[in-house]
Amino acid sequence: MNKIPFNKPFLLGKEVEYIREAVVSGRISGDGSFTKRCHSFFQDKFSFKKCLITTSCTAALEMAAILTEIGPGDEVIMPSYTFVSTANAFILRGAKVVFIDSHPDCPGIDENLIEQQITNRTKAIVPVHYAGFACDMDKIMGLADKYNLFVIEDAAQAIDGNYKSRPLGSIGHLSTFSFHETKNVISGEGGMLVVNDPKFIRRAEIIWEKGTNRSAFFRGEVDKYNWVDIGSSFLPSEIIAAFLLAQLENLDIIQERRREVWELYQSELMTGSWEKQYGLPKIPSYSSNNYHLFYMICKSQEQRSSLIKYLKAKNISAVFHYQSLHKSPYYLSKHDGRELRHADRFSDCLVRLPLYFELTKEEQRFIIDSILEFFGLKK
Ligand SMILES: *Cc1c(COP(=O)(O)O)cnc(C)c1O
């Protein structure tokens, strides 16, 4: 068996053709026709109010922090078990981050622990739809209404996911997506800011275009463009947008393939007395599955290390992720000392299995057999 990587970028067909088309058209800087087609795709398919593709989800989170005017003295609530960018965007503005534990049986933020951390300095809640599994958005939006807070969905992993029947990314005031090569739909690096609260639309475009009203100028609404606000170069080139559009046009094919892989892992790993050996994803009843990632929960950090080592010896790359942020070298001394034991357990015990478009059935069988062999569950 060849080496099985954890992730592998893939082409669906038209990526290179679209990039060529962009170059030949004479424009590869940002905000051109491919960018607009990406925006329309999302606005039409998921009824997002306004979309702005960005160079990354990190950039989109930074835009969200600027738009909500979060700054020194403000507090932002988010899970500890997440990627650094969720927190960094607000730290960069001088805010304080207050970390919340995960659910006992699901890595997402435990919505029941949020209210007790709200103070008169709290400005926003940032739920992260980990693995594309929805957070309890009714509860979170209810808290936001009660305390007058912004909700910024970190939907980096959540494309095509739903909370009840609503698309993830359409519920918070703002939300952010990623098209990093490890996500379902990719453009190498890439992301998107979604603006659902119309009061942010104008300013979002300005921040996106380096603090200028260039978008309004292109629409013919002003006769010259000027520096009107703070901003940065958050918009991607047409090369990225062209690649992304080719992927988006095949979203259903991508999702179908990922569904097959995900469901095969689940059905094959639920065998014998598996529950005594490891945990598998538990999807909250209000959430859909977008098949973003498949994980197992080992009994201990030691068992996880042995499993990863065992698979590595067979040329299979399985990985773990997210050292809980409240224990990171950067944040440890700034954290208020609360123990976040479920976040810590997922940090220590969660392992992600290879899941990508071109993973073959044969390769997947080999991964599954190797795992069952490790746990002594092989039939
Ligand atoms: C991938 C990811 C990000 C960062 O996305 P980039 O596009 O790489 O900046 C942020 N938050 C979460 C939860 C992610 O999974």
Side-chain angles (χ1 to χ4, degrees):
M1 189 65 66
N2 289 332
K3 190 168 159 38
I4 303 175
F6 167 67
N7 181 61
K8 196 173 156 196
F10 58 101
L11 293 168
L12 284 150
K14 288 202 170 161
E15 287 86 347
V16 177
E17 184 186 321
Y18 281 1
I19 289 172
R20 173 181 294 274
E21 206 180 293
V23 175
V24 169
S25 80
R27 172 172 186 160
I28 53 171
S29 61
D31 200 17
S33 65
F34 283 103
T35 296
K36 290 184 172 64
R37 286 163 75 185
C38 290
H39 293 168
S40 303
F41 176 88
F42 282 106
Q43 286 159 194
D44 296 346
K45 185 163 172 80
F46 299 113
S47 57
F48 296 153
K49 186 139 286 150
K50 167 84 181 174
C51 296
L52 291 169
I53 56 170
T54 55
T55 46
S56 63
C57 180
T58 302
L61 285 160
E62 288 173 16
M63 287 182 70
I66 296 172
L67 276 167
T68 47
E69 297 182 51
I70 284 168
D74 294 334
E75 294 176 3
V76 180
I77 291 176
M78 64 180 64
S80 176
Y81 189 77
T82 183
F83 188 60
V84 289
S85 295
T86 318
N88 234 336
F90 301 94
I91 296 293
L92 276 169
R93 311 303 311 161
K96 184 179 158 203
V97 169
V98 177
F99 290 116
I100 305 285
D101 206 359
S102 300
H103 275 276
D105 55 6
C106 182
I109 189 167
D110 187 338
E111 66 281 354
N112 297 310
L113 301 176
I114 295 175
E115 189 163 15
Q116 63 205 75
Q117 297 305 324
I118 294 175
T119 71
N120 54 16
R121 293 178 299 278
T122 307
K123 277 211 85 176
I125 306 173
V126 188
V128 178
H129 304 302
Y130 178 79
F133 302 161
C135 298
D136 187 343
M137 293 308 292
D138 282 345
K139 177 100 191 203
I140 290 168
M141 295 310 288
L143 288 171
D145 276 349
K146 183 169 168 191
Y147 295 98
N148 196 25
L149 310 174
F150 293 118
V151 173
I152 300 154
E153 293 175 70
D154 182 339
Q157 308 179 4
I159 189 170
D160 202 33
N162 284 294
Y163 170 75
K164 297 181 179 171
S165 56
R166 300 166 71 189
L168 294 180
S170 71
I171 304 167
H173 301 87
L174 299 163
S175 54
T176 64
F177 286 86
S178 175
F179 311 116
H180 182 264
E181 72 172 348
T182 51
K183 305 304 202 265
N184 291 28
V185 167
I186 64 173
S187 62
E189 301 284 349
M192 179 169 70
L193 177 76
V194 174
V195 183
N196 294 311
D197 183 337
K199 76 165 177 281
F200 290 121
I201 291 178
R202 252 310 151 85
R203 191 156 184 246
E205 276 185 346
I206 290 167
I207 291 166
W208 188 62
E209 272 278 24
K210 306 153 190 92
T212 73
N213 54 352
R214 195 162 157 203
S215 300
F217 171 70
F218 281 138
R219 284 193 299 264
E221 294 164 15
V222 291
D223 59 7
K224 55 183 180 310
Y225 77 86
N226 261 308
W227 184 17
V228 294
D229 201 336
I230 61 168
S232 191
S233 184
F234 288 115
L235 75 175
S237 83
E238 282 283 289
I239 294 177
I240 286 180
F243 191 104
L244 179 62
L245 183 69
Q247 293 252 325
L248 291 173
E249 288 176 347
N250 289 290
L251 177 62
D252 293 343
I253 294 171
I254 296 173
Q255 293 299 78
E256 178 54 21
R257 182 70 203 106
R258 296 185 77 95
R259 184 183 68 76
E260 285 170 2
V261 175
W262 203 98
E263 289 181 348
L264 189 66
Y265 273 136
Q266 188 189 47
S267 62
E268 295 294 308
L269 291 173
M270 284 182 165
T271 183
S273 54
W274 65 274
E275 278 172 295
K276 293 205 183 84
Q277 307 265 31
Y278 48 78
L280 291 174
K282 286 191 188 141
I283 307 173
S285 58
Y286 44 73
S287 175
S288 67
N289 188 356
N290 75 342
Y291 314 105
H292 172 59
L293 66 85
F294 194 90
Y295 61 82
M296 301 174 68
I297 313 287
C298 293
K299 291 289 174 213
S300 66
Q301 195 167 15
E302 295 69 39
Q303 190 194 45
R304 181 179 70 178
S305 307
S306 319
L307 173 62
I308 291 174
K309 216 170 126 194
Y310 187 83
L311 296 175
K312 193 166 179 228
K314 291 176 175 274
N315 258 333
I316 299 165
S317 174
V319 302
F320 60 84
H321 71 167
Y322 301 156
Q323 295 309 290
S324 6
L325 296 182
H326 72 288
K327 283 203 171 157
S328 62
Y330 177 69
Y331 217 76
L332 188 59
S333 62
K334 301 175 182 64
H335 178 62
D336 55 29
R338 273 172 303 123
E339 201 197 341
L340 307 178
R341 65 192 180 95
H342 299 300
D344 287 340
R345 190 166 48 84
F346 292 117
S347 293
D348 291 344
C349 302
L350 185 144
V351 56
R352 303 173 63 182
L353 304 182
L355 171 45
Y356 50 86
F357 189 76
E358 291 176 347
L359 184 69
T360 66
K361 280 244 157 68
E362 193 193 7
E363 287 168 332
Q364 202 188 352
R365 290 266 169 219
F366 181 65
I367 298 167
I368 292 165
D369 284 347
S370 304
I371 293 168
L372 295 180
E373 210 170 79
F374 174 84
F375 286 104
L377 290 170
K378 192 138 180 247
K379 284 163 265 184

